[in-house]
Each structure stands twice: as structure tokens, then as C-alpha cells.
Amino acid sequence: MTRFIAPLLFLLSLTVTAQAPMVPTDYFDDPLQVPLALAGTFGELRSNHFHSGLDIKTQQREGLPVYASAEGYVSRINVAHYGYGKALYIQHPNGYTTVYAHLKNFSPEIEAYIKKLQYQNESYEVEVYPNASELPVERGELVASSGNTGGSGGPHLHFEIRDGEQRPMNPFMFGIEIEDTRAPIVSGVYAYPKGENAHVNGSAQRQKLRLIPQQDGSFKAEAIEACGEIGFGINTVDQLNAAPNRNGVYRIETGANGETLFQANFERFSFSETRHLNQLIDYGYYTQNNSRIQKLFVEPSNPLSIYREVNNQGFLNVKDSLSYNYTIKVSDFAGNERIVNIPIEGKHRNDIIEDPSNTTEFFVPANTGAQFESNGIDVYIPKNSLYQDAYLDISFEDEKINLHEDVIPLHTNISIGFDVSKYKPEDREQMFIAQLNKWGNPSYSTTTKDGERFTTRTRSFGTYTLARDTQAPRVVPVNFKDGQWISGNKDIKVKISDDLSGISSYRATVNGKFILMEYEYKQNLLTHDFSDNVITETKNQLKIEVIDNVGNTTIFESTFFRK
């Protein structure tokens, strides 16, 4: 089913997206032939990244046909346990690439191509870049079926359009049409005084403003008194007609007394910049409240390409005895708008409530980094791991480091090291570095062991300690028993799990020959499909070896019979 924007709507979209890159609006079809409803939109704020496409609902089920959005050839296939799961990339003659992710399986030709590679490598996880002549596809050709593989939170199709530099772009710009008559939702607006003597209502701290709904659908904030450079932030999402999901907005603009201060457009970004989302949001507020405030000003070290027409970094310079009307306009791609007006009276004050001082002995300049060590534990914070200079709260305890709170974002990995010389070599084998959650429960942090020193690399502040995993993984058959005839089965399923450090690897054989088993980590499930036609004997000896992240190993063996 092809969906195009009607000429009148297209002209309207050109007005709304006047600064958008010129793109073809009738080249790409919908990848699913069902009424489109979205679980996620382009540019949506996610954990440490922007969402890079559309999450198209698949009616809460798997197996819907997925079609090539335009002619081209399969340029990349990636099959992974996590992330995009099973993903397909199609290169098109006009230079764009479309991406189809979280797939259940591929079309028969592509499935055979990838299965051959998986058996050659004896690995479920594979990545391959076919050349232009190997897997050509026509517009509307079946290329896969939708699924729930990888990091998907439920059945859906993740669909992207990328430019010639592999930068994801907003698919709405290409004529993918979704009914949307709802204006964006604004649930909170905040003021951020910046610099010495700046204040809002007598405070140098972040202030939440009281919003008063107006009859025309806009909001008017309760008037504030302020002085100095003031930035603002907003909690906002969008909802489309066909689904209740809280999606990302398309554009945010601000101004004061008729002058533009800030604009952010969610049209295109590069993967190299996506983690800078943590500078777009108030990261500390998010980690403590699970709610994202989008800053309507630009931090000095923030290189995001989504910004347009930014003056004075987006800050309003409020002067004593002057009046201002600060305006925020939030828009979705269909042109629905929500406006917030904030009346401001400039008033200098000497009795400002200051931000609490966070000075500690552990100071880290962002442009040089730092290293600290005590009690056989060391931490190294490289140059530019932090976006801004920071004082950190650090305490070293016996086999534990409390490394600040996760209220400051890290852009690159820092290293934490532990001296384990007091442990016998055989005891170290089951030990690892763990991060403790707020309840004190450990989770495995990838640990490198080099003799008497363990190290881990992480992009999260928090508490880290040494832990030990002495339990081997569990392996439990699901749809067969030892010695059973299973001629009617289309597959064999086995549950694998580990109580602490987590699954590192697995390998399955039948009668000594490798068999492919798909690992669905969200269900702790291994599945082998008999349609692979590698099991041909009547009596079959199954052997599965499962290893956790510290090397504890379980070998499961069972016999089954098939005609």
C-alpha cells in the first residue's frame, strides 16, 4: 500500500519545514501494508540516544509481511542478540538507505543466504555486506516478516531512512503520512538562572513554573520576577491519532518580545552525536525523576546539529526594570502547535537563594581528566569524558568505590581498577566487578582480568564492587524430554538462565554436528528450527554448552528421536 501526501498538505509541509533538506516525497512506500499506527517517532528522546526512525505497530503480533520501500539491493544484514536484533538494510539508487529492524525472519532467499553464513561461522550472530548483484529487490517486494528480536520492548517494525552519509532522517519528510490532529502536550516548564546574580523569583536554583491553561489551548505561566541570563526547559511529548503512545515532537522554538532565541528541529542527526542528547536534557533531573526536561538553551560543549537560529545560546538576558514576554512554541510535523507564554518582570535582588555548593576534594576538569586511587581501587576519567568541569563525591571502601551519583552524564568510558592480589588465582576465576543498583543488588560490569588486577570500563557513575558468581547457568528443556519421540515438533526449545553474572556464550550440537539455535534473551530461550534440515538421523544426541561471564559452565545432554 503506497501512501503519499496530497499536494495541498505537501505545500503546507514545505511551509512548516522551510529549513528541511530537500528530499523526494513520493519515492518510498510504507514498509507494511496495514493501517499505520506508531509506537515511536523520529528524534524521540531515549536513554542516551535519539530514536532514529519510526516504530510501526504490528497489531501486537509478529509475522506481518515487510516490503521493500523502494527498489535497490540488500547492502547489509545484521543478526544480533541485542540492539536491532535481526535487521536488514537496503541501498537505493538515489543514495538513500532504508533499515528494517527487530525482524522475525527474512524472505526465503535472504533467509537461505544468512543461514548459510551462520552455519559456516557456527554462530547465530553474524553481519554481512552483500554486493549490489547478490540480493537485488524491487519496490514492494517481500523482504522479511516483522518480529520482536533484539532490544524491542514488544512486537513492532523499526523503520529508518538514512542519507548518503548514513545519517538517519525523519521519515515524515519523505511522504510517510500518519493522521495527526492533536497538538503536542506540555506537562512542565522550568527556568534556569545562569551565572552570578541571576535569579528567578529570588532563587538561583532551577524553578518549575506554574502554567495556566488558556481557552485557545495555549498556556500562560504565572508571572515571574527575574534578572540576569535565564534559560528555560520544557517537558513535552506528542500524540498521534491512532495510538496513545507519548512520542517525540518535531520542532521547538523560543523567542522574547518578537526576537528569536532558539530553535531545535528533529529532521536529521548523525549517530556520532546522538549521545549528546544527555546535554539536551537535564540529565540529573531525569535520573532522579524519570522525566526528561529538554533544555531550550545550548551548553557550550554541545555540538548537536538539530539546533537552528540560536542567539545568545538560547538564554534571555533579563535586565532590571524591563518587561519581557518569553514564548515557547512546540510543533509536530503535521503543523499542530502548543504555545506557552511566560511574562517576566526584570528585578534586581540582593537576597538571592544560591545554588548549594558542591565543592569536594575530587575535582575533574573536563578538558584534562583526572585519576584517583585509594584502598587498592583506582579510577581514571579521561579527557572529555565529562561535558563540563565537575566536583565529584568519591569514597573508597574495602572492595567498593562510591563514585558519585548517576546525575552527571559521561560521554566516554571511564576506567575503574581493583587490586585482587590478596585472592588466590583459583578464587579470582569466579570474581568480577559489579555495579550495585539503589537496592544494593549487583549486576555484571564487563571485567578485564590481568593477573592481580581487574578493570572495568563504564559510562555510568555509581557504586562498584567486587562480587563472586559460584553458580553455573541453568538449562531446562521446554518442549521435549529425554528419550522422547518428537517427530511432530517443528523445533526444540530450551530455557537458559544465570543468576548473577549473566550468559556469555552457548553452543549446541546434535550427534557432534553444530546446530543453529536462536537466542531470545528477553525470554531466556534457545530455539532450533528443524527446517534447517541439518538433523537427519532417527536417534539424536543433543549437547548444549552454556557459559556465564565468569566461566561457570553447564553441559546439558539429552537424547530425542525423529522420523
Side-chain angles (χ1 to χ4, degrees):
M1 181 183 300
T2 306
R3 300 173 189 268
F4 305 110
I5 294 182
L8 182 60
L9 290 177
F10 173 61
L11 292 173
L12 176 62
S13 75
L14 287 179
T15 301
V16 173
T17 63
Q19 295 181 355
M22 295 300 294
V23 299
T25 58
D26 60 355
Y27 191 87
F28 296 108
D29 289 351
D30 295 343
L32 296 175
Q33 294 187 2
V34 296
L36 291 187
L38 300 184
T41 56
F42 180 85
E44 202 167 286
L45 308 183
R46 301 286 179 89
S47 179
N48 299 313
H49 70 283
F50 296 104
H51 190 235
S52 55
L54 303 180
D55 282 345
I56 305 175
K57 289 175 176 284
T58 55
Q59 303 169 342
Q60 300 181 335
R61 58 194 176 100
E62 301 179 38
L64 270 64
V66 177
Y67 302 97
S69 194
E71 71 168 323
Y73 70 94
V74 176
S75 57
R76 179 184 176 192
I77 307 169
N78 191 28
V79 178
H81 296 140
Y82 308 105
Y84 280 6
K86 294 182 180 181
L88 192 69
Y89 300 71
I90 298 178
Q91 180 68 46
H92 303 284
N94 63 353
Y96 293 97
T97 302
T98 50
V99 183
Y100 314 76
H102 306 306
L103 303 170
K104 181 178 182 180
N105 48 42
F106 305 108
S107 66
E109 181 182 4
I110 300 172
E111 189 76 16
Y113 181 96
I114 204 67
K115 279 281 179 75
K116 181 180 179 181
L117 185 64
Q118 289 173 314
Y119 274 97
Q120 285 177 349
N121 294 351
E122 294 193 355
S123 172
Y124 171 72
E125 292 193 299
V126 292
E127 185 172 21
V128 63
Y129 295 82
N131 61 47
S133 63
E134 289 184 274
L135 295 171
V137 295
E138 296 294 329
R139 181 183 187 131
E141 181 179 333
L142 177 71
V143 293
S145 63
S146 66
N148 187 30
T149 56
S152 171
H156 72 276
L157 175 69
H158 175 87
F159 175 68
E160 296 178 18
I161 301 177
R162 298 183 183 180
D163 69 9
E165 298 179 41
Q166 291 300 300
R167 294 176 297 184
M169 299 183 66
N170 194 330
F172 287 162
M173 295 160 50
F174 293 82
I176 302 295
E177 183 183 357
I178 304 290
E179 186 179 6
D180 182 9
T181 59
R182 301 177 180 180
I185 299 168
V186 173
S187 56
V189 171
Y190 300 77
Y192 290 80
K194 177 197 176 187
E196 189 175 358
N197 299 322
H199 77 88
V200 172
N201 292 334
S203 175
Q205 302 174 30
R206 177 188 61 223
Q207 299 290 306
K208 184 173 184 179
L209 308 184
R210 180 171 174 263
L211 299 181
I212 304 167
Q214 305 296 296
Q215 289 187 349
D216 62 359
S218 67
F219 289 98
K220 183 176 182 179
E222 198 170 61
I224 62 173
E225 292 182 348
C227 198
E229 289 203 324
I230 310 298
F232 292 86
I234 189 168
N235 288 126
T236 184
V237 296
D238 190 39
Q239 283 188 314
L240 307 175
N241 288 19
N245 299 73
R246 299 168 73 83
N247 304 127
V249 301
Y250 172 63
R251 173 180 289 166
I252 306 178
E253 305 166 76
T254 73
N257 295 353
E259 298 293 327
T260 298
L261 287 172
F262 171 94
Q263 185 181 119
N265 294 348
F266 293 92
E267 296 169 347
R268 175 168 59 190
F269 63 85
S270 66
F271 288 109
S272 63
E273 66 179 307
T274 189
R275 193 174 176 89
H276 285 282
L277 171 141
N278 289 331
Q279 294 199 83
L280 169 70
I281 66 171
D282 185 332
Y283 184 84
Y285 184 90
Y286 165 66
T287 59
Q288 294 179 321
N289 299 278
N290 197 32
S291 176
R292 293 183 178 92
I293 301 172
Q294 298 187 52
K295 298 175 186 175
L296 306 179
F297 53 93
V298 183
E299 301 286 6
S301 58
N302 187 347
L304 284 173
S305 59
I306 63 172
Y307 297 123
R308 304 284 188 276
E309 296 187 54
V310 177
N311 295 304
N312 194 35
Q313 299 299 107
F315 287 94
L316 174 64
N317 190 3
V318 178
K319 297 182 179 180
D320 186 37
S321 303
L322 295 182
S323 298
Y324 303 82
N325 183 48
Y326 181 89
T327 302
I328 306 170
K329 182 167 73 173
V330 185
S331 310
D332 59 28
F333 191 84
N336 303 301
E337 297 176 351
R338 187 75 68 186
I339 294 175
V340 180
N341 291 297
I342 305 172
I344 304 170
E345 291 296 326
K347 183 175 182 180
H348 176 75
R349 295 180 64 159
N350 295 316
D351 57 339
I352 298 173
I353 301 173
E354 299 291 342
D355 239 344
S357 173
N358 293 318
T359 302
T360 72
E361 62 180 299
F362 302 102
F363 176 69
V364 182
N367 63 353
T368 59
Q371 184 168 355
F372 308 105
E373 182 176 1
S374 183
N375 282 14
I377 307 172
D378 59 84
V379 57
Y380 172 58
I381 303 174
K383 175 182 177 179
N384 296 326
S385 292
L386 295 175
Y387 297 118
Q388 300 174 6
D389 299 349
Y391 288 96
L392 302 181
D393 290 319
I394 304 176
S395 63
F396 298 88
E397 302 178 15
D398 183 30
E399 297 188 346
K400 184 168 72 172
I401 178 174
N402 298 306
L403 183 55
H404 207 72
E405 290 183 85
D406 186 22
V407 294
I408 296 177
L410 284 166
H411 189 69
T412 60
N413 282 308
I414 64 173
S415 298
I416 304 171
F418 286 79
D419 180 355
V420 294
S421 59
K422 67 180 180 180
Y423 294 98
K424 297 178 181 179
E426 58 268 28
D427 292 334
R428 297 175 203 155
E429 291 181 2
Q430 295 178 316
M431 295 174 61
F432 63 96
I433 299 174
Q435 183 176 15
L436 302 181
N437 64 17
K438 62 182 179 181
W439 298 285
N441 299 321
S443 61
Y444 179 78
S445 185
T446 301
T447 304
T448 300
K449 300 181 179 183
D450 185 10
E452 297 177 346
R453 177 174 164 80
F454 287 4
T455 57
T456 190
R457 289 162 56 81
T458 179
R459 288 200 283 190
S460 295
F461 286 123
T463 299
Y464 293 83
T465 188
L466 291 175
R468 176 181 278 108
D469 183 358
T470 60
Q471 299 296 315
R474 294 184 68 228
V475 182
V476 180
V478 174
N479 63 345
F480 67 97
K481 296 179 181 178
D482 186 41
Q484 185 178 11
W485 283 86
I486 55 172
S487 301
N489 285 26
K490 67 176 183 178
D491 54 34
I492 49 175
K493 297 181 183 294
V494 174
K495 287 269 190 179
I496 62 173
S497 60
D498 188 74
D499 69 333
L500 187 52
S501 65
I503 302 296
S504 171
S505 64
Y506 63 91
R507 189 174 191 276
T509 61
V510 168
N511 302 328
K513 183 178 180 180
F514 171 82
I515 63 167
L516 183 66
M517 297 200 81
E518 179 172 340
Y519 180 35
E520 175 47 75
Y521 77 94
K522 298 188 292 293
Q523 301 177 32
N524 297 320
L525 189 64
L526 288 179
T527 303
H528 171 74
D529 196 321
F530 287 129
S531 66
D532 286 359
N533 295 320
V534 297
I535 300 176
T536 58
E537 298 182 29
T538 300
K539 182 179 180 180
N540 298 281
Q541 182 66 36
L542 172 66
K543 181 180 178 180
I544 303 175
E545 182 180 58
V546 184
I547 305 173
D548 68 18
N549 279 302
V550 296
N552 297 311
T553 302
T554 296
I555 296 178
F556 171 83
E557 295 184 283
S558 180
T559 300
F560 64 87
F561 298 87
R562 280 178 59 82
K563 289 182 180 179

